[in-house]
Amino acid sequence: MSTTHEHTASAPLPLRSRAAQIGVGLALAVLMICTRGQHFASVDALPSASWAVFFLAGALLRPGWSFPALFLLSSALDLGSLAQGRITDWCLSPAYWALAFAYGALWFGGRIYARAHRDAWSAVPRLALVLLATSVAAYLISKGGFYFLSGRYPDASLAGFLERVPQYYPRSLGTLAGYVGAGFAVYALARLAGQRQRVGAAA
């Protein structure tokens, strides 16, 4: 009869290899740098991967400090873009700190999914459900916080906020799903390559 510790040790996520965690952590940081805001290293053709970065960090990385580290990176990129005059202060209001809770929801969603993940196609519906629930929470916190608390909308109302949801939420969900799907596709290919390598070494 297996124990909880044995079940946790055999779970594929979060990643167990220190080298893999370092590599993934650096890759996620680079992805955020290249897609967030407008600065010296950004790629304007790519949508922001920030939501996906926090979700994937929660699912793939073990250290809890990965969350504050990534949030500090995102804030530094925003402040750097502002200092360079590449963005305005429109989004940098007191409501900016709602992002910490929104990104926390995404990171925690990744943590929840990691417990349910299996290296099989049957995990895809689970991933889709967790992504949907997590994205709704993140959207309500980040966009709702900005709409109601930033002071940019003097006539803010619940009806006004709900009218904006169909316009902006589908794009946020699509971007999140696209990046997370690509991230797990890379993960699956890496696992497959590792298995083939082990089989070849044992032959």
Side-chain angles (χ1 to χ4, degrees):
M1 182 175 176
S2 63
T3 64
T4 301
H5 175 74
E6 290 171 344
H7 174 75
T8 302
S10 63
L13 295 179
L15 299 173
R16 293 189 295 275
S17 165
R18 181 178 177 83
Q21 290 193 56
I22 293 174
V24 169
L26 290 175
L28 291 176
V30 170
L31 181 61
M32 181 180 287
I33 291 171
C34 291
T35 63
R36 187 181 183 89
Q38 299 175 357
H39 52 82
F40 70 99
S42 64
V43 180
D44 294 338
L46 295 176
S48 174
S50 297
W51 279 26
V53 165
F54 282 98
F55 184 91
L56 290 170
L60 301 175
L61 303 181
R62 288 185 179 275
W65 54 258
S66 61
F67 171 71
L70 287 170
F71 183 71
L72 287 174
L73 174 61
S74 67
S75 299
L77 291 171
D78 291 342
L79 293 175
S81 296
L82 178 65
Q84 295 172 7
R86 296 178 180 271
I87 63 172
T88 68
D89 62 353
W90 171 259
C91 293
L92 299 180
S93 69
Y96 181 85
W97 299 107
L99 286 178
F101 296 97
Y103 292 155
L106 290 158
W107 186 85
F108 187 63
R111 276 289 196 263
I112 292 175
Y113 175 71
R115 298 172 185 171
H117 175 78
R118 298 294 180 270
D119 287 341
W121 284 106
S122 60
V124 174
R126 301 175 189 172
L127 176 59
L129 287 174
V130 175
L131 274 181
L132 181 61
T134 303
S135 65
V136 169
Y139 182 88
L140 292 177
I141 295 170
S142 63
K143 304 302 184 182
F146 182 75
Y147 182 74
F148 289 107
L149 303 176
S150 67
R152 308 301 190 198
Y153 302 93
D155 299 323
S157 66
L158 180 59
F161 175 70
L162 293 177
E163 288 177 356
R164 301 167 64 86
V165 173
Q167 181 178 0
Y168 296 106
Y169 172 71
R171 180 182 300 177
S172 298
L173 175 60
T175 300
L176 172 65
Y179 278 121
V180 170
F184 274 105
V186 172
Y187 164 81
L189 290 174
R191 293 278 288 184
L192 181 61
Q195 291 173 357
R196 289 183 175 178
Q197 186 176 13
R198 287 191 293 272
V199 171

